[in-house]
Coordinates of all heavy atoms in Angstrom, one line a residue:
G1625 N -51.8 -33.0 -80.1 CA -53.1 -32.4 -80.4 C -54.3 -33.3 -80.1 O -55.4 -32.9 -80.2
S1626 N -54.0 -34.6 -79.8 CA -55.1 -35.5 -79.4 C -55.6 -35.2 -78.0 O -54.8 -35.1 -77.1 CB -54.6 -37.0 -79.5 OG -54.0 -37.2 -80.8
C1627 N -56.9 -35.2 -77.9 CA -57.5 -34.9 -76.6 C -58.6 -35.9 -76.3 O -59.6 -36.1 -77.1 CB -58.1 -33.5 -76.6 SG -58.8 -33.0 -75.1
F1628 N -58.5 -36.6 -75.2 CA -59.5 -37.7 -74.8 C -60.3 -37.1 -73.7 O -59.8 -36.9 -72.6 CB -58.7 -38.9 -74.5 CG -57.8 -39.4 -75.6 CD1 -56.5 -39.0 -75.6 CD2 -58.3 -40.3 -76.5 CE1 -55.6 -39.4 -76.6 CE2 -57.4 -40.7 -77.6 CZ -56.1 -40.2 -77.6
V1629 N -61.6 -37.0 -73.9 CA -62.4 -36.3 -72.9 C -63.5 -37.1 -72.2 O -64.3 -36.6 -71.5 CB -63.1 -35.0 -73.5 CG1 -62.1 -34.0 -74.0 CG2 -64.0 -35.4 -74.7
G1630 N -63.5 -38.4 -72.5 CA -64.5 -39.3 -71.9 C -65.9 -38.9 -72.2 O -66.3 -38.8 -73.4
D1631 N -66.7 -38.6 -71.2 CA -68.1 -38.3 -71.4 C -68.4 -36.8 -71.2 O -69.5 -36.4 -70.9 CB -69.0 -39.0 -70.4 CG -69.1 -40.5 -70.8 OD1 -68.6 -40.9 -71.9 OD2 -69.7 -41.3 -70.0
L1632 N -67.4 -35.9 -71.4 CA -67.6 -34.5 -71.4 C -68.7 -34.2 -72.5 O -68.6 -34.7 -73.6 CB -66.3 -33.8 -71.7 CG -66.3 -32.2 -71.7 CD1 -66.8 -31.7 -70.4 CD2 -65.0 -31.7 -72.1
E1633 N -69.6 -33.3 -72.1 CA -70.7 -32.9 -73.1 C -70.0 -32.4 -74.4 O -69.1 -31.5 -74.3 CB -71.5 -31.8 -72.5 CG -72.6 -31.3 -73.3 CD -74.0 -32.1 -73.1 OE1 -74.0 -32.9 -72.1 OE2 -74.9 -31.8 -73.8
P1634 N -70.4 -32.9 -75.5 CA -69.8 -32.5 -76.8 C -69.9 -31.0 -76.9 O -70.9 -30.3 -76.6 CB -70.6 -33.2 -77.9 CG -71.0 -34.5 -77.2 CD -71.3 -34.1 -75.7
R1635 N -68.8 -30.4 -77.4 CA -68.7 -28.9 -77.6 C -69.9 -28.3 -78.4 O -70.4 -27.3 -78.1 CB -67.4 -28.5 -78.2 CG -67.2 -27.0 -78.4 CD -67.1 -26.4 -77.0 NE -66.8 -24.9 -77.1 CZ -67.8 -24.0 -77.3 NH1 -69.0 -24.4 -77.4 NH2 -67.5 -22.7 -77.4
D1636 N -70.2 -29.1 -79.5 CA -71.3 -28.5 -80.4 C -72.6 -28.6 -79.7 O -73.6 -28.0 -80.3 CB -71.3 -29.3 -81.7 CG -71.3 -30.8 -81.6 OD1 -71.6 -31.3 -80.5 OD2 -71.1 -31.5 -82.6
N1637 N -72.8 -29.3 -78.6 CA -74.1 -29.3 -77.9 C -74.4 -28.0 -77.2 O -75.5 -27.7 -76.8 CB -74.2 -30.4 -77.0 CG -74.4 -31.8 -77.7 OD1 -74.4 -31.8 -78.9 ND2 -74.5 -32.8 -76.9
L1638 N -73.3 -27.3 -76.9 CA -73.4 -26.0 -76.1 C -74.3 -25.0 -76.8 O -74.9 -24.1 -76.1 CB -72.1 -25.5 -75.7 CG -71.3 -26.3 -74.7 CD1 -69.9 -25.6 -74.4 CD2 -72.1 -26.4 -73.4
A1639 N -74.3 -25.0 -78.1 CA -75.1 -24.0 -78.8 C -76.6 -24.0 -78.4 O -77.3 -23.0 -78.4 CB -75.0 -24.2 -80.3
S1640 N -77.0 -25.2 -78.0 CA -78.4 -25.4 -77.6 C -78.8 -24.7 -76.3 O -79.9 -24.5 -75.9 CB -78.8 -26.8 -77.6 OG -78.1 -27.5 -76.6
Y1641 N -77.7 -24.3 -75.6 CA -77.9 -23.6 -74.3 C -77.7 -22.1 -74.4 O -77.7 -21.5 -73.3 CB -76.9 -24.2 -73.2 CG -77.0 -25.7 -73.0 CD1 -75.9 -26.5 -73.1 CD2 -78.3 -26.3 -72.7 CE1 -76.0 -27.9 -72.9 CE2 -78.4 -27.7 -72.5 CZ -77.2 -28.5 -72.6 OH -77.3 -29.8 -72.4
D1642 N -77.5 -21.6 -75.6 CA -77.2 -20.2 -75.7 C -78.3 -19.3 -75.2 O -78.1 -18.2 -74.7 CB -76.8 -19.9 -77.2 CG -75.4 -20.4 -77.5 OD1 -74.7 -20.7 -76.6 OD2 -75.2 -20.4 -78.7
D1643 N -79.5 -19.7 -75.4 CA -80.7 -18.9 -74.9 C -80.9 -19.3 -73.5 O -81.6 -20.2 -73.1 CB -81.9 -19.2 -75.8 CG -83.1 -18.3 -75.4 OD1 -82.9 -17.5 -74.4 OD2 -84.1 -18.3 -76.1
E1644 N -80.3 -18.5 -72.6 CA -80.4 -18.8 -71.1 C -81.8 -18.6 -70.6 O -82.1 -19.0 -69.5 CB -79.3 -18.0 -70.4 CG -77.9 -18.3 -70.8 CD -76.9 -17.6 -70.0 OE1 -77.3 -16.8 -69.0 OE2 -75.7 -17.8 -70.2
S1645 N -82.6 -17.9 -71.3 CA -84.0 -17.7 -70.8 C -84.8 -19.0 -70.8 O -85.8 -19.1 -70.1 CB -84.7 -16.7 -71.7 OG -84.9 -17.2 -73.1
L1646 N -84.2 -20.0 -71.6 CA -84.9 -21.3 -71.6 C -84.5 -22.2 -70.4 O -85.1 -23.2 -70.2 CB -84.6 -22.0 -72.9 CG -85.0 -21.3 -74.2 CD1 -84.6 -22.1 -75.4 CD2 -86.5 -21.1 -74.2
I1647 N -83.5 -21.7 -69.7 CA -83.0 -22.5 -68.6 C -83.6 -22.0 -67.3 O -83.3 -20.9 -66.8 CB -81.4 -22.4 -68.5 CG1 -80.8 -22.9 -69.8 CG2 -80.9 -23.3 -67.3 CD1 -79.3 -22.6 -69.9
V1648 N -84.5 -22.7 -66.7 CA -85.2 -22.3 -65.5 C -84.8 -23.0 -64.2 O -85.1 -22.5 -63.1 CB -86.7 -22.5 -65.7 CG1 -87.3 -21.6 -66.9 CG2 -87.1 -23.9 -66.0
D1649 N -84.1 -24.0 -64.4 CA -83.6 -24.8 -63.2 C -82.2 -24.4 -62.8 O -81.3 -24.4 -63.7 CB -83.6 -26.3 -63.6 CG -83.2 -27.2 -62.4 OD1 -82.0 -27.4 -62.2 OD2 -84.1 -27.6 -61.6
G1650 N -82.0 -24.0 -61.6 CA -80.7 -23.5 -61.1 C -79.6 -24.5 -61.2 O -78.5 -24.2 -61.5
R1651 N -80.0 -25.8 -60.9 CA -79.0 -26.9 -61.0 C -78.5 -27.1 -62.4 O -77.3 -27.3 -62.7 CB -79.6 -28.2 -60.4 CG -78.6 -29.3 -60.4 CD -79.2 -30.6 -59.8 NE -79.5 -30.3 -58.4 CZ -80.1 -31.2 -57.6 NH1 -80.4 -32.4 -58.0 NH2 -80.4 -30.9 -56.3
E1652 N -79.5 -27.0 -63.4 CA -79.1 -27.1 -64.8 C -78.2 -25.9 -65.2 O -77.3 -26.1 -66.0 CB -80.4 -27.1 -65.6 CG -80.1 -27.2 -67.1 CD -79.6 -28.6 -67.6 OE1 -79.3 -29.4 -66.8 OE2 -79.4 -28.7 -68.8
A1653 N -78.5 -24.8 -64.7 CA -77.7 -23.6 -65.1 C -76.2 -23.8 -64.6 O -75.3 -23.5 -65.3 CB -78.3 -22.3 -64.5
E1654 N -76.1 -24.3 -63.4 CA -74.8 -24.6 -62.8 C -74.0 -25.7 -63.6 O -72.8 -25.6 -63.9 CB -74.9 -25.0 -61.4 CG -75.2 -23.9 -60.4 CD -74.1 -22.8 -60.4 OE1 -72.9 -23.1 -60.4 OE2 -74.5 -21.6 -60.6
R1655 N -74.8 -26.7 -64.1 CA -74.2 -27.7 -64.9 C -73.6 -27.2 -66.2 O -72.5 -27.5 -66.6 CB -75.2 -28.8 -65.2 CG -74.6 -30.1 -65.9 CD -75.7 -31.1 -66.2 NE -76.5 -30.7 -67.3 CZ -76.3 -30.9 -68.6 NH1 -75.2 -31.6 -68.9 NH2 -77.1 -30.5 -69.5
I1656 N -74.4 -26.3 -66.9 CA -74.0 -25.7 -68.1 C -72.8 -24.8 -67.9 O -71.8 -24.8 -68.7 CB -75.2 -25.0 -68.7 CG1 -76.3 -25.9 -69.1 CG2 -74.7 -24.2 -70.0 CD1 -77.6 -25.3 -69.5
K1657 N -72.8 -24.1 -66.8 CA -71.7 -23.2 -66.5 C -70.4 -24.1 -66.3 O -69.3 -23.7 -66.8 CB -72.0 -22.5 -65.2 CG -70.8 -21.5 -64.7 CD -71.2 -20.8 -63.5 CE -70.1 -19.9 -63.0 NZ -70.5 -19.2 -61.7
A1658 N -70.5 -25.2 -65.7 CA -69.4 -26.1 -65.4 C -68.9 -26.7 -66.8 O -67.7 -26.8 -67.0 CB -69.8 -27.3 -64.5
I1659 N -69.8 -27.1 -67.7 CA -69.4 -27.6 -69.0 C -68.6 -26.6 -69.7 O -67.6 -26.9 -70.3 CB -70.7 -28.1 -69.8 CG1 -71.3 -29.2 -69.1 CG2 -70.2 -28.4 -71.2 CD1 -72.7 -29.6 -69.7
R1660 N -69.1 -25.3 -69.7 CA -68.4 -24.3 -70.4 C -67.0 -24.0 -69.9 O -66.1 -23.8 -70.6 CB -69.3 -23.0 -70.4 CG -70.5 -23.1 -71.3 CD -71.3 -21.8 -71.2 NE -72.4 -21.8 -72.2 CZ -73.6 -21.2 -72.1 NH1 -73.9 -20.6 -71.0 NH2 -74.5 -21.3 -73.1
A1661 N -66.9 -24.1 -68.5 CA -65.6 -23.9 -67.9 C -64.7 -25.0 -68.3 O -63.5 -24.8 -68.5 CB -65.8 -23.9 -66.4
D1662 N -65.2 -26.3 -68.4 CA -64.3 -27.4 -68.8 C -63.8 -27.2 -70.2 O -62.6 -27.4 -70.5 CB -65.1 -28.7 -68.7 CG -65.2 -29.2 -67.3 OD1 -64.5 -28.7 -66.4 OD2 -65.9 -30.2 -67.0
W1663 N -64.7 -26.8 -71.1 CA -64.3 -26.6 -72.5 C -63.3 -25.4 -72.7 O -62.4 -25.4 -73.5 CB -65.5 -26.4 -73.4 CG -66.1 -27.7 -73.8 CD1 -67.3 -28.3 -73.5 CD2 -65.4 -28.6 -74.7 NE1 -67.4 -29.5 -74.1 CE2 -66.3 -29.7 -74.8 CE3 -64.2 -28.6 -75.4 CZ2 -66.0 -30.8 -75.6 CZ3 -63.9 -29.7 -76.2 CH2 -64.8 -30.8 -76.3
K1664 N -63.5 -24.4 -71.8 CA -62.5 -23.3 -71.9 C -61.2 -23.8 -71.5 O -60.2 -23.4 -72.1 CB -63.0 -22.2 -70.9 CG -62.1 -20.9 -70.9 CD -62.6 -19.8 -70.0 CE -61.7 -18.6 -70.1 NZ -62.2 -17.5 -69.2
L1665 N -61.1 -24.7 -70.5 CA -59.8 -25.2 -70.1 C -59.2 -26.1 -71.2 O -58.1 -26.0 -71.6 CB -60.0 -26.0 -68.8 CG -58.7 -26.7 -68.3 CD1 -57.6 -25.7 -68.0 CD2 -59.0 -27.5 -67.0
V1666 N -60.1 -27.0 -71.7 CA -59.6 -27.9 -72.8 C -59.1 -27.1 -74.0 O -58.0 -27.4 -74.5 CB -60.8 -28.9 -73.2 CG1 -60.4 -29.6 -74.5 CG2 -61.1 -29.9 -72.2
E1667 N -59.8 -26.1 -74.4 CA -59.5 -25.4 -75.6 C -58.3 -24.5 -75.4 O -57.6 -24.0 -76.4 CB -60.7 -24.6 -76.1 CG -61.7 -25.6 -76.7 CD -62.9 -24.9 -77.3 OE1 -63.2 -23.7 -76.9 OE2 -63.6 -25.6 -78.1
S1668 N -57.9 -24.2 -74.1 CA -56.7 -23.4 -73.9 C -55.4 -24.2 -74.3 O -54.4 -23.6 -74.4 CB -56.6 -23.0 -72.4 OG -56.3 -24.2 -71.6
Y1669 N -55.6 -25.5 -74.5 CA -54.4 -26.3 -75.0 C -54.4 -26.4 -76.5 O -53.5 -27.1 -77.0 CB -54.5 -27.7 -74.3 CG -54.2 -27.7 -72.9 CD1 -55.2 -27.4 -71.9 CD2 -52.9 -28.1 -72.4 CE1 -54.9 -27.4 -70.5 CE2 -52.6 -28.1 -71.0 CZ -53.6 -27.8 -70.1 OH -53.3 -27.8 -68.8
N1670 N -55.4 -25.8 -77.2 CA -55.4 -25.8 -78.6 C -55.4 -27.3 -79.2 O -54.6 -27.6 -80.0 CB -54.3 -25.0 -79.2 CG -54.4 -23.6 -78.9 OD1 -55.4 -22.9 -79.0 ND2 -53.2 -23.0 -78.4
P1671 N -56.3 -28.1 -78.7 CA -56.4 -29.5 -79.2 C -56.8 -29.5 -80.7 O -57.5 -28.7 -81.2 CB -57.4 -30.2 -78.3 CG -58.3 -29.0 -78.0 CD -57.4 -27.8 -77.8
K1672 N -56.2 -30.5 -81.4 CA -56.5 -30.7 -82.8 C -57.7 -31.7 -83.1 O -58.4 -31.5 -84.0 CB -55.3 -31.1 -83.6 CG -54.2 -30.1 -83.6 CD -52.9 -30.6 -84.3 CE -51.8 -29.6 -84.3 NZ -50.6 -30.1 -85.0
K1673 N -57.7 -32.7 -82.2 CA -58.8 -33.7 -82.4 C -59.3 -34.0 -81.0 O -58.6 -34.3 -80.0 CB -58.2 -35.0 -83.0 CG -57.7 -34.7 -84.5 CD -57.1 -36.0 -85.0 CE -56.6 -35.8 -86.5 NZ -56.0 -37.0 -87.0
I1674 N -60.6 -34.1 -80.9 CA -61.3 -34.4 -79.6 C -61.9 -35.8 -79.8 O -62.7 -36.1 -80.6 CB -62.4 -33.4 -79.3 CG1 -61.9 -32.0 -79.3 CG2 -63.1 -33.7 -78.0 CD1 -61.0 -31.6 -78.2
Y1675 N -61.5 -36.7 -78.9 CA -62.0 -38.1 -78.9 C -62.9 -38.3 -77.7 O -62.6 -38.0 -76.5 CB -60.9 -39.1 -78.8 CG -60.0 -39.0 -80.1 CD1 -58.8 -38.3 -80.1 CD2 -60.3 -39.7 -81.2 CE1 -58.0 -38.2 -81.2 CE2 -59.5 -39.7 -82.3 CZ -58.3 -39.0 -82.3 OH -57.5 -38.9 -83.4
Y1676 N -64.1 -38.8 -78.0 CA -65.2 -39.0 -76.9 C -65.3 -40.5 -76.6 O -64.9 -41.3 -77.4 CB -66.5 -38.5 -77.4 CG -66.6 -37.0 -77.7 CD1 -66.4 -36.5 -79.0 CD2 -66.8 -36.1 -76.6 CE1 -66.5 -35.1 -79.2 CE2 -66.9 -34.7 -76.9 CZ -66.7 -34.2 -78.2 OH -66.8 -32.9 -78.4
G1677 N -65.9 -40.7 -75.4 CA -66.1 -42.1 -75.0 C -67.1 -42.9 -75.7 O -67.0 -44.1 -75.8
H1678 N -68.0 -42.2 -76.4 CA -69.1 -42.9 -77.0 C -69.4 -42.5 -78.5 O -70.2 -43.1 -79.2 CB -70.4 -42.8 -76.2 CG -70.3 -43.3 -74.9 ND1 -70.3 -44.7 -74.6 CD2 -70.2 -42.7 -73.7 CE1 -70.2 -44.9 -73.3 NE2 -70.1 -43.7 -72.7

Side-chain angles (χ1 to χ4, degrees):
S1626 302
C1627 180
F1628 305 88
V1629 298
D1631 287 354
L1632 179 60
E1633 181 93 6
R1635 181 67 178 83
D1636 51 12
N1637 287 1
L1638 288 180
S1640 62
Y1641 302 126
D1642 285 345
D1643 187 351
E1644 297 186 1
S1645 66
L1646 299 177
I1647 303 171
V1648 296
D1649 184 272
R1651 184 176 297 178
E1652 178 70 357
E1654 286 300 313
R1655 185 181 76 86
I1656 294 167
K1657 181 179 178 181
I1659 294 170
R1660 286 177 173 151
D1662 281 351
W1663 274 112
K1664 183 177 180 180
L1665 177 59
V1666 168
E1667 291 182 339
S1668 71
Y1669 288 83
N1670 297 312
K1672 295 178 181 178
K1673 296 178 182 178
I1674 307 292
Y1675 295 95
Y1676 296 95
H1678 298 285

